[in-house]
Amino acid sequence: MQFSIAISGFVALYIFMLAAFAGWVIIGHVPAILHTPLMSGSNFVHGIVVVGGIFALLNASTVQEQAIGFLAVLLGAGNAAGGFAVTDRMLAMFQPSEPKPAHANKGEHEASQTGKA
């Protein structure tokens, strides 16, 4: 099965500009307190970028196309890894704190303060 999609330069630029503007408007209306959880929850988008970069890399015929595909895969994978790291740190902030253990040497500490050993 052979798929072939041809997008001219102006159409690709238009789609990019439209996506950038839509993202700017949508993210601009999100309250600051929700921004980090929403962005960390959307790590699947980075996976789509990686798949698209792999597709571009596999179908590359020139060195320039190979470089762009490689860069897309590299940046998408780095973005996905960073997003998951941020999500992990953010979720760790919401874990209940463990109670502090009582000192095992509490009796020794009291004895040294009273002068008895």
Side-chain angles (χ1 to χ4, degrees):
M1 211 181 236
Q2 188 72 286
F3 292 107
S4 177
I5 299 174
I7 297 178
S8 69
F10 276 127
V11 173
L13 182 63
Y14 177 74
I15 291 171
F16 176 76
M17 289 173 48
L18 185 62
F21 180 72
W24 177 66
V25 169
I26 291 169
I27 296 299
H29 287 89
V30 173
I33 195 163
L34 292 178
H35 187 266
T36 303
L38 285 175
M39 292 309 291
S40 357
S42 67
N43 283 328
F44 71 92
V45 173
H46 307 304
I48 295 170
V49 170
V50 172
V51 170
I54 291 172
F55 181 74
L57 189 57
L58 290 175
N59 292 317
S61 57
T62 66
V63 175
Q64 183 182 12
E65 291 173 352
Q66 290 174 346
I68 291 172
F70 176 76
L71 190 63
V73 171
L74 183 70
L75 293 177
N79 222 354
F84 282 113
V86 167
T87 301
D88 189 44
R89 289 186 67 189
M90 184 188 66
L91 291 176
M93 291 181 357
F94 294 106
Q95 296 293 326
S97 335
E98 294 182 20
K100 294 182 180 179
H103 269 317
N105 302 332
K106 187 176 180 183
E108 291 177 12
H109 180 68
E110 290 173 355
S112 66
Q113 286 182 347
T114 59
K116 301 176 185 173

